[in-house]
Amino acid sequence: MLDELDKKIIVIMQEDFPLVAEPYREIAERLGIHEDELLGRLKEYRQSGKIRKMGAVLRHREVGYAANALCAWIVPEERIVEIGKMLAKDAVVSHCYARISQPGWPYNFYTMLHAHTRKDCKVLAEDIAKRTGLQEYVMLFSTKEWKKISMQYFKD
Amino acid sequence: MLTAFDKSLLNIIQTDLSFEKRPFALVAKKLETTETIVIERLKFLKEQGFIRRIGPFFDSTKLGYIGTLVALEVKKEYLAQVAGVINSYYGVTHNYEREADLNLWFTLLSPNLLKQDEILETIRNLDGVVRLLNLPATQKFKVSVQFSLT
């Protein structure tokens, strides 16, 4: 379980990461703990999967991926794992989830596609449809980003 | 504009920052350059807006949170108002208008199911909300936004 120090570390790691030679020493000083204690716990979070990855989040528009499309698919229940594993390996798929469907909304599988243009997104989706044999899908293009932030855990 | 060096730096830095004393020195070694150049270039790329943030990607479930995707059909004239209310919840990280009958889609992270249902109930009853579909995940196959820059 997470103790109070874990939560403090998680909160501070969500703030601006110091771009200096020894960033963890600086963060540890602000926390009032030793650098080794901080690095030890961060490594444990990664081993236990609490941290999936450590690195930079890019602004996709600026790096040329202006179009993104959430695709909702109808996948037969018995094929979900097979298709999920297959598409997870696909570089153009950034998010891939099975979700419950709802009355009037039969779609139960979602892929997030990023590409340079909307047309490219359509081509990518058609290619996925061909490779998986899935015919029923809908492309949900975003027209306005009302909010996009990284989650601030344990801030309340 | 991104130079070839920037692109290779960005390709590495999206995933491979390590929990070691001098993480940028390790990146510099991979790029056969110096730690100072890596740090200066990252500052530049952040100031220019290519990099949104540098830090850890947490697994919300492993931190004890529950998450869901919610789709709404909102009457056009109420959209801005409803989007504003949705944005006010700190657990809402993504809120997008999309071209479909279900025209507003957001993700919500909550400390527990009770809190999630309270929030969804409030949103469901806002003026202009025609339909709200709660679409929690049953299986996660991939969560990793990574742009390979060529």
Side-chain angles (χ1 to χ4, degrees), chain B residues 36-76:
Chain B
T36 314
I37 286 176
V38 166
I39 290 172
E40 286 319 310
R41 205 60 194 165
L42 287 175
K43 279 183 188 156
F44 171 77
L45 292 168
K46 193 149 194 297
E47 274 145 28
Q48 295 297 311
F50 294 103
I51 292 177
R52 180 189 300 277
R53 175 181 76 89
I54 291 177
F57 294 67
F58 292 104
D59 180 317
S60 51
T61 316
K62 291 247 166 80
L63 294 186
Y65 281 71
I66 57 165
T68 193
L69 174 67
V70 182
L72 293 168
E73 180 180 346
V74 185
K75 287 187 196 138
K76 276 263 172 300

Short mmCIF file of all heavy atoms in Angstrom, two decimals, chain B residues 36-76:
data_model
loop_
_atom_site.label_atom_id
_atom_site.label_comp_id
_atom_site.label_asym_id
_atom_site.label_seq_id
_atom_site.Cartn_x
_atom_site.Cartn_y
_atom_site.Cartn_z
N THR B 36 25.21 18.20 -21.13
CA THR B 36 24.80 19.62 -21.18
C THR B 36 23.95 19.90 -22.41
O THR B 36 22.93 20.56 -22.33
CB THR B 36 26.07 20.50 -21.21
OG1 THR B 36 26.96 20.02 -20.23
CG2 THR B 36 25.72 21.95 -20.98
N ILE B 37 24.38 19.32 -23.54
CA ILE B 37 23.62 19.56 -24.80
C ILE B 37 22.20 18.97 -24.66
O ILE B 37 21.20 19.61 -24.99
CB ILE B 37 24.36 18.92 -26.00
CG1 ILE B 37 25.59 19.78 -26.34
CG2 ILE B 37 23.43 18.81 -27.21
CD1 ILE B 37 26.46 19.21 -27.46
N VAL B 38 22.12 17.77 -24.06
CA VAL B 38 20.79 17.14 -23.90
C VAL B 38 19.90 18.03 -23.02
O VAL B 38 18.75 18.32 -23.37
CB VAL B 38 20.95 15.74 -23.27
CG1 VAL B 38 19.60 15.22 -22.76
CG2 VAL B 38 21.53 14.76 -24.29
N ILE B 39 20.45 18.52 -21.90
CA ILE B 39 19.65 19.34 -20.98
C ILE B 39 19.23 20.65 -21.64
O ILE B 39 18.05 21.04 -21.61
CB ILE B 39 20.44 19.60 -19.68
CG1 ILE B 39 20.57 18.29 -18.88
CG2 ILE B 39 19.78 20.68 -18.82
CD1 ILE B 39 21.49 18.37 -17.68
N GLU B 40 20.16 21.29 -22.34
CA GLU B 40 19.83 22.58 -22.99
C GLU B 40 18.77 22.37 -24.07
O GLU B 40 17.82 23.15 -24.18
CB GLU B 40 21.09 23.21 -23.60
CG GLU B 40 22.04 23.80 -22.56
CD GLU B 40 21.31 24.54 -21.44
OE1 GLU B 40 20.45 25.40 -21.75
OE2 GLU B 40 21.55 24.21 -20.24
N ARG B 41 18.93 21.30 -24.82
CA ARG B 41 17.98 21.05 -25.93
C ARG B 41 16.58 20.74 -25.38
O ARG B 41 15.57 21.17 -25.93
CB ARG B 41 18.50 19.90 -26.79
CG ARG B 41 17.99 19.93 -28.22
CD ARG B 41 18.39 21.22 -28.93
NE ARG B 41 17.62 21.37 -30.17
CZ ARG B 41 17.54 22.51 -30.86
NH1 ARG B 41 18.16 23.60 -30.41
NH2 ARG B 41 16.85 22.59 -31.97
N LEU B 42 16.54 20.00 -24.28
CA LEU B 42 15.23 19.69 -23.68
C LEU B 42 14.55 20.97 -23.18
O LEU B 42 13.34 21.15 -23.36
CB LEU B 42 15.40 18.69 -22.52
CG LEU B 42 15.72 17.26 -22.95
CD1 LEU B 42 16.00 16.38 -21.73
CD2 LEU B 42 14.58 16.65 -23.79
N LYS B 43 15.34 21.86 -22.62
CA LYS B 43 14.76 23.16 -22.17
C LYS B 43 14.16 23.87 -23.37
O LYS B 43 13.04 24.38 -23.32
CB LYS B 43 15.85 24.03 -21.54
CG LYS B 43 16.18 23.69 -20.09
CD LYS B 43 17.22 24.68 -19.52
CE LYS B 43 17.68 24.21 -18.13
NZ LYS B 43 19.01 24.74 -17.81
N PHE B 44 14.92 23.89 -24.48
CA PHE B 44 14.44 24.56 -25.70
C PHE B 44 13.14 23.93 -26.19
O PHE B 44 12.15 24.60 -26.43
CB PHE B 44 15.53 24.47 -26.78
CG PHE B 44 15.09 24.93 -28.14
CD1 PHE B 44 14.99 26.27 -28.43
CD2 PHE B 44 14.75 23.99 -29.12
CE1 PHE B 44 14.57 26.70 -29.68
CE2 PHE B 44 14.32 24.41 -30.38
CZ PHE B 44 14.23 25.77 -30.66
N LEU B 45 13.14 22.57 -26.27
CA LEU B 45 11.95 21.87 -26.81
C LEU B 45 10.74 22.06 -25.90
O LEU B 45 9.60 22.10 -26.37
CB LEU B 45 12.28 20.38 -26.98
CG LEU B 45 13.30 20.07 -28.08
CD1 LEU B 45 13.78 18.62 -27.98
CD2 LEU B 45 12.72 20.34 -29.46
N LYS B 46 11.00 22.25 -24.61
CA LYS B 46 9.87 22.48 -23.68
C LYS B 46 9.35 23.90 -23.88
O LYS B 46 8.16 24.13 -24.03
CB LYS B 46 10.35 22.26 -22.25
CG LYS B 46 9.20 22.17 -21.25
CD LYS B 46 9.52 21.27 -20.06
CE LYS B 46 8.24 20.94 -19.29
NZ LYS B 46 7.60 22.15 -18.72
N GLU B 47 10.30 24.87 -23.96
CA GLU B 47 9.88 26.28 -24.15
C GLU B 47 9.13 26.44 -25.46
O GLU B 47 8.15 27.19 -25.54
CB GLU B 47 11.11 27.20 -24.16
CG GLU B 47 11.59 27.67 -22.78
CD GLU B 47 13.12 27.80 -22.75
OE1 GLU B 47 13.70 28.06 -23.84
OE2 GLU B 47 13.70 27.60 -21.67
N GLN B 48 9.56 25.73 -26.49
CA GLN B 48 8.93 25.88 -27.81
C GLN B 48 7.59 25.12 -27.89
O GLN B 48 6.90 25.20 -28.90
CB GLN B 48 9.87 25.34 -28.91
CG GLN B 48 11.16 26.13 -29.04
CD GLN B 48 10.92 27.57 -29.45
OE1 GLN B 48 10.18 27.82 -30.40
NE2 GLN B 48 11.47 28.52 -28.70
N GLY B 49 7.28 24.35 -26.83
CA GLY B 49 5.96 23.71 -26.81
C GLY B 49 5.90 22.33 -27.43
O GLY B 49 4.83 21.75 -27.56
N PHE B 50 7.04 21.77 -27.83
CA PHE B 50 7.01 20.41 -28.38
C PHE B 50 6.79 19.41 -27.24
O PHE B 50 6.09 18.42 -27.39
CB PHE B 50 8.33 20.09 -29.10
CG PHE B 50 8.55 20.93 -30.33
CD1 PHE B 50 9.43 22.01 -30.31
CD2 PHE B 50 7.84 20.66 -31.49
CE1 PHE B 50 9.61 22.79 -31.44
CE2 PHE B 50 8.01 21.45 -32.63
CZ PHE B 50 8.91 22.52 -32.60
N ILE B 51 7.42 19.72 -26.10
CA ILE B 51 7.27 18.84 -24.93
C ILE B 51 6.23 19.46 -23.99
O ILE B 51 6.37 20.62 -23.59
CB ILE B 51 8.61 18.66 -24.19
CG1 ILE B 51 9.59 17.86 -25.05
CG2 ILE B 51 8.40 17.95 -22.86
CD1 ILE B 51 10.97 17.70 -24.43
N ARG B 52 5.17 18.68 -23.67
CA ARG B 52 4.16 19.18 -22.73
C ARG B 52 4.67 19.06 -21.30
O ARG B 52 4.56 19.98 -20.49
CB ARG B 52 2.88 18.32 -22.89
CG ARG B 52 1.73 18.73 -21.97
CD ARG B 52 0.59 17.71 -22.01
NE ARG B 52 0.03 17.55 -23.33
CZ ARG B 52 -0.90 18.35 -23.84
NH1 ARG B 52 -1.34 19.37 -23.11
NH2 ARG B 52 -1.39 18.18 -25.05
N ARG B 53 5.29 17.89 -21.00
CA ARG B 53 5.68 17.62 -19.61
C ARG B 53 6.71 16.50 -19.61
O ARG B 53 6.73 15.67 -20.52
CB ARG B 53 4.41 17.14 -18.86
CG ARG B 53 4.60 16.69 -17.43
CD ARG B 53 3.28 16.21 -16.81
NE ARG B 53 2.86 14.89 -17.26
CZ ARG B 53 3.21 13.77 -16.65
NH1 ARG B 53 4.02 13.80 -15.60
NH2 ARG B 53 2.79 12.60 -17.10
N ILE B 54 7.59 16.50 -18.61
CA ILE B 54 8.48 15.35 -18.41
C ILE B 54 8.16 14.79 -17.03
O ILE B 54 8.07 15.55 -16.06
CB ILE B 54 9.97 15.77 -18.48
CG1 ILE B 54 10.33 16.19 -19.91
CG2 ILE B 54 10.89 14.64 -18.01
CD1 ILE B 54 11.73 16.68 -20.08
N GLY B 55 7.94 13.50 -16.96
CA GLY B 55 7.61 12.92 -15.66
C GLY B 55 7.15 11.48 -15.80
O GLY B 55 7.23 10.91 -16.90
N PRO B 56 6.66 10.90 -14.71
CA PRO B 56 6.22 9.51 -14.76
C PRO B 56 4.80 9.38 -15.32
O PRO B 56 4.00 10.29 -15.20
CB PRO B 56 6.25 9.08 -13.30
CG PRO B 56 6.28 10.32 -12.50
CD PRO B 56 6.63 11.46 -13.37
N PHE B 57 4.55 8.22 -15.96
CA PHE B 57 3.18 7.88 -16.38
C PHE B 57 2.69 6.88 -15.33
O PHE B 57 3.24 5.78 -15.22
CB PHE B 57 3.20 7.19 -17.75
CG PHE B 57 3.64 8.08 -18.87
CD1 PHE B 57 4.95 8.55 -18.92
CD2 PHE B 57 2.77 8.45 -19.86
CE1 PHE B 57 5.38 9.37 -19.96
CE2 PHE B 57 3.18 9.26 -20.90
CZ PHE B 57 4.49 9.73 -20.96
N PHE B 58 1.68 7.26 -14.56
CA PHE B 58 1.19 6.37 -13.49
C PHE B 58 0.09 5.45 -14.00
O PHE B 58 -0.66 5.82 -14.92
CB PHE B 58 0.64 7.21 -12.33
CG PHE B 58 1.69 7.99 -11.61
CD1 PHE B 58 1.84 9.36 -11.79
CD2 PHE B 58 2.57 7.33 -10.74
CE1 PHE B 58 2.83 10.07 -11.13
CE2 PHE B 58 3.56 8.03 -10.07
CZ PHE B 58 3.69 9.40 -10.27
N ASP B 59 -0.03 4.29 -13.38
CA ASP B 59 -1.15 3.39 -13.67
C ASP B 59 -2.23 3.71 -12.64
O ASP B 59 -2.08 3.38 -11.44
CB ASP B 59 -0.67 1.93 -13.54
CG ASP B 59 -1.81 0.96 -13.83
OD1 ASP B 59 -2.94 1.23 -13.34
OD2 ASP B 59 -1.60 -0.03 -14.55
N SER B 60 -3.32 4.33 -13.08
CA SER B 60 -4.33 4.83 -12.13
C SER B 60 -4.89 3.69 -11.28
O SER B 60 -5.11 3.85 -10.08
CB SER B 60 -5.46 5.50 -12.90
OG SER B 60 -5.94 4.65 -13.92
N THR B 61 -5.09 2.52 -11.91
CA THR B 61 -5.67 1.39 -11.15
C THR B 61 -4.72 0.99 -10.03
O THR B 61 -5.15 0.80 -8.89
CB THR B 61 -5.89 0.19 -12.10
OG1 THR B 61 -6.47 0.68 -13.30
CG2 THR B 61 -6.76 -0.86 -11.47
N LYS B 62 -3.43 0.91 -10.35
CA LYS B 62 -2.44 0.49 -9.34
C LYS B 62 -2.34 1.53 -8.22
O LYS B 62 -1.87 1.23 -7.13
CB LYS B 62 -1.07 0.29 -10.00
CG LYS B 62 -1.05 -0.92 -10.95
CD LYS B 62 -0.15 -2.04 -10.43
CE LYS B 62 -0.37 -3.34 -11.15
NZ LYS B 62 0.31 -3.41 -12.45
N LEU B 63 -2.75 2.76 -8.46
CA LEU B 63 -2.72 3.77 -7.40
C LEU B 63 -4.05 3.81 -6.66
O LEU B 63 -4.30 4.67 -5.84
CB LEU B 63 -2.42 5.16 -7.99
CG LEU B 63 -1.03 5.36 -8.60
CD1 LEU B 63 -0.84 6.82 -9.00
CD2 LEU B 63 0.06 4.93 -7.65
N GLY B 64 -4.95 2.86 -7.01
CA GLY B 64 -6.21 2.76 -6.27
C GLY B 64 -7.34 3.59 -6.85
O GLY B 64 -8.36 3.80 -6.19
N TYR B 65 -7.16 4.08 -8.06
CA TYR B 65 -8.24 4.88 -8.67
C TYR B 65 -9.04 4.01 -9.64
O TYR B 65 -8.54 3.01 -10.14
CB TYR B 65 -7.66 6.08 -9.44
CG TYR B 65 -7.26 7.24 -8.58
CD1 TYR B 65 -6.14 7.16 -7.75
CD2 TYR B 65 -8.01 8.42 -8.56
CE1 TYR B 65 -5.77 8.22 -6.94
CE2 TYR B 65 -7.64 9.48 -7.74
CZ TYR B 65 -6.53 9.37 -6.95
OH TYR B 65 -6.17 10.43 -6.14
N ILE B 66 -10.28 4.42 -9.90
CA ILE B 66 -11.04 3.75 -10.95
C ILE B 66 -11.28 4.76 -12.06
O ILE B 66 -11.38 5.97 -11.79
CB ILE B 66 -12.40 3.20 -10.44
CG1 ILE B 66 -13.25 4.31 -9.84
CG2 ILE B 66 -12.20 2.06 -9.46
CD1 ILE B 66 -14.68 3.92 -9.66
N GLY B 67 -11.33 4.26 -13.27
CA GLY B 67 -11.47 5.19 -14.39
C GLY B 67 -12.59 4.75 -15.31
O GLY B 67 -13.01 3.59 -15.28
N THR B 68 -13.12 5.69 -16.07
CA THR B 68 -14.12 5.34 -17.06
C THR B 68 -14.13 6.36 -18.19
O THR B 68 -13.52 7.44 -18.07
CB THR B 68 -15.54 5.24 -16.43
OG1 THR B 68 -16.40 4.61 -17.38
CG2 THR B 68 -16.09 6.59 -16.02
N LEU B 69 -14.77 5.97 -19.27
CA LEU B 69 -14.97 6.87 -20.42
C LEU B 69 -16.47 7.15 -20.46
O LEU B 69 -17.28 6.24 -20.30
CB LEU B 69 -14.53 6.17 -21.72
CG LEU B 69 -14.80 6.90 -23.04
CD1 LEU B 69 -13.94 8.16 -23.13
CD2 LEU B 69 -14.52 5.98 -24.23
N VAL B 70 -16.83 8.40 -20.65
CA VAL B 70 -18.25 8.77 -20.66
C VAL B 70 -18.57 9.50 -21.95
O VAL B 70 -17.81 10.38 -22.38
CB VAL B 70 -18.59 9.68 -19.46
CG1 VAL B 70 -20.08 10.02 -19.45
CG2 VAL B 70 -18.19 9.01 -18.15
N ALA B 71 -19.68 9.10 -22.59
CA ALA B 71 -20.11 9.76 -23.84
C ALA B 71 -21.45 10.45 -23.58
O ALA B 71 -22.34 9.88 -22.93
CB ALA B 71 -20.27 8.72 -24.93
N LEU B 72 -21.56 11.67 -24.06
CA LEU B 72 -22.78 12.45 -23.85
C LEU B 72 -23.34 12.93 -25.18
O LEU B 72 -22.59 13.26 -26.11
CB LEU B 72 -22.46 13.71 -23.04
CG LEU B 72 -22.03 13.58 -21.60
CD1 LEU B 72 -21.49 14.91 -21.10
CD2 LEU B 72 -23.20 13.15 -20.74
N GLU B 73 -24.67 12.99 -25.22
CA GLU B 73 -25.31 13.74 -26.30
C GLU B 73 -25.82 15.01 -25.65
O GLU B 73 -26.63 14.94 -24.69
CB GLU B 73 -26.47 12.93 -26.89
CG GLU B 73 -27.18 13.65 -28.03
CD GLU B 73 -28.34 12.82 -28.61
OE1 GLU B 73 -28.41 11.60 -28.31
OE2 GLU B 73 -29.14 13.41 -29.34
N VAL B 74 -25.31 16.15 -26.11
CA VAL B 74 -25.66 17.44 -25.50
C VAL B 74 -26.24 18.35 -26.58
O VAL B 74 -25.72 18.42 -27.69
CB VAL B 74 -24.41 18.13 -24.88
CG1 VAL B 74 -24.81 19.41 -24.15
CG2 VAL B 74 -23.68 17.18 -23.94
N LYS B 75 -27.32 19.03 -26.24
CA LYS B 75 -27.89 19.99 -27.21
C LYS B 75 -26.85 21.08 -27.46
O LYS B 75 -26.21 21.59 -26.53
CB LYS B 75 -29.16 20.61 -26.61
CG LYS B 75 -30.35 19.64 -26.58
CD LYS B 75 -31.62 20.39 -26.14
CE LYS B 75 -32.71 19.41 -25.73
NZ LYS B 75 -33.41 19.86 -24.50
N LYS B 76 -26.69 21.42 -28.74
CA LYS B 76 -25.63 22.35 -29.18
C LYS B 76 -25.55 23.58 -28.28
O LYS B 76 -24.47 23.97 -27.82
CB LYS B 76 -25.92 22.80 -30.63
CG LYS B 76 -25.41 21.81 -31.67
CD LYS B 76 -24.05 22.22 -32.23
CE LYS B 76 -23.46 21.13 -33.13
NZ LYS B 76 -23.25 19.84 -32.41
#
